Amino acid sequence: MEEIEPFEDVFDKGFTSSQLHMVEDNTVHVKQREKEIAQIVQSITDLNEIFKDLATMVVDQGTILDRIDYNVENASVQVDKGLQQLQKAEKYQKKNRKMLWCVCGATSQSCHQGWTYYQKSCYYFSDITLDWINAGAFCQVHHSELVAIETQAENAFIESEVKNRTGGYWLGGNDSVTEGVWEWTSTDEVFDYTNFAPGEPNDSNGGEDCLMTGSALNGKWNDGICSTSLLFICERM
């Protein structure tokens, strides 16, 4: 069997023992560094694979986000359509309720205590003051609406009732949707009959959007600031 020469014998015999040990140590260090470099290369390869997976995920996420954006936009369109249908349904309901009131009509016997009967309707002249919105809510709680004065005869009746009462009264009209276009809240219908006082409505200071009357107006109408607390008139047919 061939005898293996010691490490020192591989090199030039001119090297000293300390030099040979230094070469041996350097060789070990080089091998260790090569091993570390190999590990780093493997880590970079693994990291590259991770980035590839992340890139795929980003593309997938982008697709998902596009779908989410589409669904949100589509949902918004559907909500708008639903709102339009609800608004149409509300108007239809108000018109049907008005027709039902006209068909059924109130009688003097059907008016509750504190309500006044006139021409198949019951009227409530409040003794408390509220702003226009809350006055309308009060009437609805009592199965009625702020009064819609649709004829000269009805207006004459209202005038006769309020002339001996002090204070202003909210009526059921407003032009809050379109300035100058007055509608009855109970039906969303534009006024056919009006009885505004001279120079009215004038939308003083740009904030008068709700309809009122009172003894001082002698049966005439005025536009008032909706947040003002006034007496009010409810009508139940």
Side-chain angles (χ1 to χ4, degrees), residues 4-38:
I4 300 175
E5 294 185 55
F7 182 85
E8 292 86 345
D9 296 337
V10 176
F11 297 92
D12 190 331
K13 301 299 184 177
F15 284 101
T16 65
S17 176
S18 62
Q19 288 174 331
L20 290 173
H21 283 299
M22 183 180 296
V23 170
E24 185 178 8
D25 289 342
N26 286 339
T27 301
V28 172
H29 289 156
V30 167
K31 289 182 178 180
Q32 181 65 29
R33 180 59 57 85
E34 287 177 348
K35 183 178 179 181
E36 291 174 354
I37 291 173

Side-chain angles (χ1 to χ4, degrees), residues 12-13 46 57 68 74 78 80 82 88 105-106 115 120 125 127 134 140 162 164-165 181 186 211:
D12 190 331
K13 301 299 184 177
D46 293 341
M57 290 175 64
I68 291 174
N74 188 53
Q78 295 302 320
D80 288 340
K88 289 180 180 178
W115 292 67
K120 296 184 178 181
F125 296 84
D127 54 6
N134 284 309
Q140 290 176 348
V162 302
N164 295 322
R165 307 168 190 250
V181 179
S186 58
L211 190 66

Side-chain angles (χ1 to χ4, degrees), residues 107-118:
T107 66
S108 58
Q109 289 78 21
S110 66
C111 291
H112 295 166
Q113 184 176 357
W115 292 67
T116 303
Y117 175 78
Y118 175 78

Side-chain angles (χ1 to χ4, degrees), residues 139-230:
C139 293
Q140 290 176 348
V141 167
H142 293 82
H143 310 291
S144 60
E145 299 282 350
L146 281 173
V147 62
I149 304 175
E150 298 174 298
T151 65
Q152 184 176 357
E154 186 177 17
N155 191 77
F157 162 73
I158 297 296
E159 179 186 2
S160 67
E161 290 292 325
V162 302
K163 69 180 181 180
N164 295 322
R165 307 168 190 250
T166 58
Y169 284 82
W170 284 128
L171 307 177
N174 74 92
D175 71 339
S176 57
V177 176
T178 303
E179 180 61 36
V181 179
W182 288 85
E183 298 178 344
W184 296 115
T185 303
S186 58
T187 62
D188 288 334
E189 293 179 352
V190 177
F191 289 6
D192 285 330
Y193 167 77
T194 63
N195 192 40
F196 284 104
E200 302 294 346
N202 61 6
D203 194 32
S204 179
N205 298 319
E208 296 185 335
D209 295 321
C210 294
L211 190 66
M212 62 165 292
T213 189
S215 57
L217 291 168
N218 297 318
K220 300 294 184 181
W221 304 349
N222 182 30
D223 54 342
I225 298 175
C226 301
S227 60
T228 304
S229 288
L230 297 177

Side-chain angles (χ1 to χ4, degrees), residues 67-81:
R67 290 176 181 173
I68 291 174
D69 288 341
Y70 170 77
N71 289 333
V72 168
E73 182 178 356
N74 188 53
S76 177
V77 171
Q78 295 302 320
V79 167
D80 288 340
K81 289 182 179 179

